[in-house]
Amino acid sequence: MREFIRPAAVALSVACLALSIAVMSAGSALAQAKQQSAPAQAAAPPPGQPPALKQMALTDKQIQAVLVAQKDMDAITEKLPDNAPPDPKVTAQLDAVAKKNGFASYDEYNDVIDNISLVLGGFDPATKKYVGSETVIKAQIAQVQADKKMSAKDKKEALADLNEALKAPAPAIENKGNIDLVGKYYDKLADALGSDQQ
């Protein structure tokens, strides 16, 4: 999704997932690593920053609804230029898709996406086990360092971004049951949400 659509409160965890997928497929590690440098949730966001992540206990129904809605959401957001300002028509379209799929509003849909993304950012894409976002980032650093195809300049930039991401860790997951639930749908969620960032 475009920046205007997805709140940046969990940009780090989404970027972790996207970078994990990209590094595993050995392609665009640099482009994905640049997304790592987005700030994680802070206790009180500075002026101009999105509000802190509203953590919630996820349900099977919510995750299934996200999976169904994602294709329609992507159809709308893929047409938007990067960093597009909010457009009431687009917001209305997104709200309609969210409501059609059982969410009260697009904001509720985003809260669910943010909670899913927070958990996905801590999954090791190779083992599909939850290890935490810090461990995932450290593994990505090792992969970038070992990548012989990446130029020295790109490697330096990717490593700088990944090391910066380590300094701004994702918030702790408050609802531990979300880990098992997201793990249950890991492959489908990685396909649906990871494609946004590739």
Side-chain angles (χ1 to χ4, degrees):
M1 290 186 168
R2 303 289 182 230
E3 193 65 29
F4 135 73
I5 307 296
R6 181 177 306 259
V10 294
L12 175 63
S13 56
V14 172
C16 287
L17 168 66
L19 186 59
S20 299
I21 292 168
V23 171
M24 291 306 293
S25 63
S28 58
L30 173 64
Q32 299 300 327
K34 288 184 184 242
Q35 294 173 1
Q36 289 284 351
S37 60
Q41 170 194 6
Q49 293 293 321
L53 170 66
K54 175 184 165 188
Q55 292 199 39
M56 64 175 70
L58 296 170
T59 66
D60 277 288
K61 184 178 177 181
Q62 288 172 319
I63 291 178
Q64 291 167 0
V66 163
L67 291 169
V68 171
Q70 195 60 37
K71 185 176 180 182
D72 291 338
M73 293 291 188
D74 285 346
I76 296 168
T77 60
E78 285 174 352
K79 298 173 188 171
L80 299 174
D82 288 336
N83 300 318
D87 178 340
K89 289 180 183 178
V90 173
T91 303
Q93 289 176 330
L94 294 169
D95 210 39
V97 171
K99 288 177 180 178
K100 178 179 118 179
N101 288 285
F103 296 99
S105 66
Y106 181 66
D107 288 339
E108 180 188 1
Y109 168 84
N110 259 337
D111 286 342
V112 172
I113 287 285
D114 290 347
N115 279 269
I116 291 170
S117 298
L118 176 65
V119 177
L120 278 176
F123 269 81
D124 178 344
T127 64
K128 300 179 185 175
K129 301 287 184 207
Y130 184 82
V131 295
S133 61
E134 182 178 339
T135 302
V136 171
I137 294 170
K138 288 179 179 179
Q140 292 165 354
I141 289 171
Q143 289 172 333
V144 169
Q145 288 171 332
D147 189 340
K148 302 217 183 299
K149 295 178 184 175
M150 187 181 280
S151 74
K153 179 183 177 226
D154 289 350
K155 188 177 286 194
K156 181 180 177 183
E157 288 178 23
L159 290 172
D161 290 340
L162 287 167
N163 282 311
E164 191 63 32
L166 277 177
K167 296 176 187 173
I173 296 173
E174 295 172 6
N175 301 289
K176 302 298 183 194
N178 289 354
I179 295 170
D180 291 335
L181 194 57
V182 169
K184 177 178 171 182
Y185 294 95
Y186 176 83
D187 290 326
K188 291 178 181 178
L189 289 167
D191 286 344
L193 302 178
S195 65
D196 290 345
Q197 304 299 320
Q198 290 183 12

